[in-house]
Amino acid sequence: MPAALIPIHAIKGRGAATHLAHRFSRDERNDFDDGWGTLEEGVAEAAELQPLATEIRFEDVKSVLSENDSPDIPFDRSLNPYRGCEHGCIYCFARPTHSYLNLSPGLDFETKLIAKRNIVEVLRTELGRKSYRPSHVAIGTATDCYQPIERELRLTRSVIELLQETRHPFALVTKSSAVERDLDLIAPMAADRLAAVYVTVTTLDGELARKLEPRAAAPHRRLRTIRALADAGVPVGVSVAPQIPFVTEDMEQVLEAAWEAGARSAFYTVVRLPWEVAPLFKEWLALHYPQRADRIMARIHEMRGGKDYDADFATRMKGSGLWADLIRQRFEKATKRIGFNRERIALDVGAFRPPGAAGQGSLF
């Protein structure tokens, strides 16, 4: 089906509007009018499409922990139980990773999900190596570890169970209220300085959130999750990311609401449009905000040296230029006024104990 003909009802609840061809594709197909009414026929056929269903695929991985030495990232290792994300956030910088699977970073990224079914077994092996040295693990940094399929697959919970067993520190970031299910594991670890949670609240505008992050929890529900975490004694922070000029305009209100809910740390990034994310985001703007699309992209270009994206470590997270400075000043003034980031969340790496073999009990 040509991408341009996918009707709105068939992508309801999805962020992307097309099966955008990935950058490794050899062929790219577009519609054209051949004079025989084929475009009209295509539209009629597309109107009969049912909403796109989610497909889950399983894979056995050889490694779980990813290490990085990027100077702009505050952790050196991370893990992600899933590839692709049903939340469908149009701005997601991880979308291009689906290209390596020969899948579209567009609708495939949010409808064809890959679950790492042997993640716990592999992680147990990695943590048990004599050469392993503990450092806090960031969970869900690429795709949300509590996206809807986690309810049934429980891969994230099984990872946390292993980290609890080994007393290994971790932090996770999510847009989902499903994290509350695992408070029985997270809260005791937090009491021992072994866990922290960050909840992303991009905007308080429910209508915007439904377009921007169609299958993530509603903004008011995320605030309730922050309150539940804080009440359970879990150090909880708020991510007001990404900041998108003329789209997410309520940063200060989000920070105030998150503080009232119990968050005590905060961070932000500006929108990142690497590889296929740029054309997908422009499609989204044309569909939802056609009258201001050019103005939004002009401000993004202003923050990226005239380009859609600049991967330079010094600027990729916060951008550069006048508009980026304005966002930075707003964030810094708001967090200082409200009281955020006065105490650093320091997790304990000294309590780690290597795991035994799978199924092996402990005397202690």
Side-chain angles (χ1 to χ4, degrees):
M1 179 61 63
L5 297 183
I6 297 178
I8 292 294
H9 81 266
I11 58 171
K12 184 178 181 180
R14 302 297 181 183
T18 65
H19 289 287
L20 180 78
H22 61 76
R23 61 188 181 278
F24 305 119
S25 297
R26 293 185 178 183
D27 302 311
E28 184 173 353
R29 300 178 182 179
N30 294 296
D31 299 336
F32 71 97
D33 186 358
D34 61 2
W36 292 100
T38 51
L39 284 179
E40 290 78 5
E41 291 176 4
V43 171
E45 293 175 0
E48 300 177 0
L49 285 176
Q50 296 300 312
L52 296 170
T54 300
E55 175 187 340
I56 303 173
R57 304 177 182 182
F58 295 93
E59 72 170 350
D60 292 318
V61 294
K62 295 181 179 179
S63 63
V64 170
L65 292 173
S66 298
E67 297 188 359
N68 80 83
D69 57 1
S70 303
D72 58 342
I73 296 178
F75 53 85
D76 62 7
R77 65 196 68 176
S78 62
L79 67 82
N80 294 278
Y82 305 102
R83 303 180 194 269
C85 186
E86 196 175 356
H87 283 166
C89 305
I90 190 59
Y91 53 75
C92 182
F93 65 87
R95 283 182 177 271
T97 60
H98 250 43
S99 300
Y100 297 112
L101 305 174
N102 199 31
L103 294 171
S104 167
L107 287 169
D108 283 351
F109 178 80
E110 49 195 283
T111 60
K112 292 180 172 59
L113 312 177
I114 290 85
K116 303 175 183 179
R117 59 185 170 190
N118 65 333
I119 187 170
V120 172
E121 293 80 5
V122 176
L123 180 59
R124 180 178 291 276
T125 298
E126 292 179 346
L127 297 182
R129 290 173 181 158
K130 291 183 179 180
S131 61
Y132 183 76
R133 296 294 179 269
S135 178
H136 98 254
V137 172
I139 304 176
T141 54
T143 58
D144 203 304
C145 58
Y146 282 104
Q147 60 181 285
I149 60 174
E150 167 63 17
R151 296 190 189 105
E152 290 77 35
L153 299 184
R154 301 167 71 89
L155 295 182
T156 299
R157 182 175 176 88
S158 64
V159 166
I160 295 176
E161 286 173 338
L162 177 56
L163 296 178
Q164 183 189 53
E165 173 192 332
T166 57
R167 298 185 60 78
H168 194 296
F170 74 91
L172 65 86
V173 59
T174 184
K175 297 183 180 78
S176 175
S177 59
V179 66
E180 296 174 31
R181 178 200 66 187
D182 294 340
L183 272 174
D184 62 314
L185 300 173
I186 298 172
M189 292 186 72
D192 292 334
R193 296 192 298 118
L194 295 173
V197 175
Y198 296 84
V199 178
T200 299
V201 185
T202 317
T203 178
L204 298 180
D205 184 337
E207 182 179 352
L208 170 59
R210 190 177 294 113
K211 299 173 183 176
L212 196 64
E213 308 155 336
R215 296 204 175 190
H220 71 273
R221 186 65 182 88
R222 299 184 217 179
L223 292 174
R224 283 170 52 193
T225 295
I226 291 175
R227 169 55 60 197
L229 290 163
D231 287 348
V234 178
V236 57
V238 62
S239 164
V240 288
Q243 289 298 304
I244 308 173
F246 303 126
V247 177
T248 56
E249 299 184 293
D250 57 348
M251 176 202 293
E252 291 84 356
Q253 290 78 15
V254 172
L255 289 169
E256 289 171 358
W259 176 271
E260 289 298 321
R264 290 298 178 262
S265 62
F267 71 91
Y268 81 99
T269 63
V270 298
V271 64
R272 299 163 59 186
L273 303 178
W275 299 107
E276 294 93 339
V277 184
L280 286 167
F281 185 74
K282 292 174 185 177
E283 286 180 353
W284 182 86
L285 287 176
L287 181 63
H288 295 287
Y289 296 103
Q291 293 181 331
R292 67 176 99 158
D294 290 343
R295 186 165 55 138
I296 293 168
M297 287 307 304
R299 297 291 78 76
I300 291 175
H301 289 161
E302 182 180 322
M303 294 192 294
R304 298 299 186 187
K307 299 179 289 185
D308 289 337
Y309 181 59
D310 184 355
D312 181 72
F313 283 145
T315 61
R316 65 176 179 168
M317 295 298 185
K318 302 298 174 62
S320 61
L322 183 62
W323 203 264
D325 285 342
L326 176 61
I327 294 175
R328 176 185 55 79
Q329 290 176 26
R330 287 175 57 197
F331 178 81
E332 291 179 351
K333 290 181 179 179
T335 52
K336 183 178 181 180
R337 171 176 56 82
I338 296 170
F340 280 105
N341 300 330
R342 291 181 178 174
E343 294 184 8
R344 180 175 177 270
I345 300 175
L347 300 180
D348 181 11
V349 298
F352 173 71
R353 57 193 184 202
Q360 179 176 317
S362 173
L363 296 177
F364 306 98

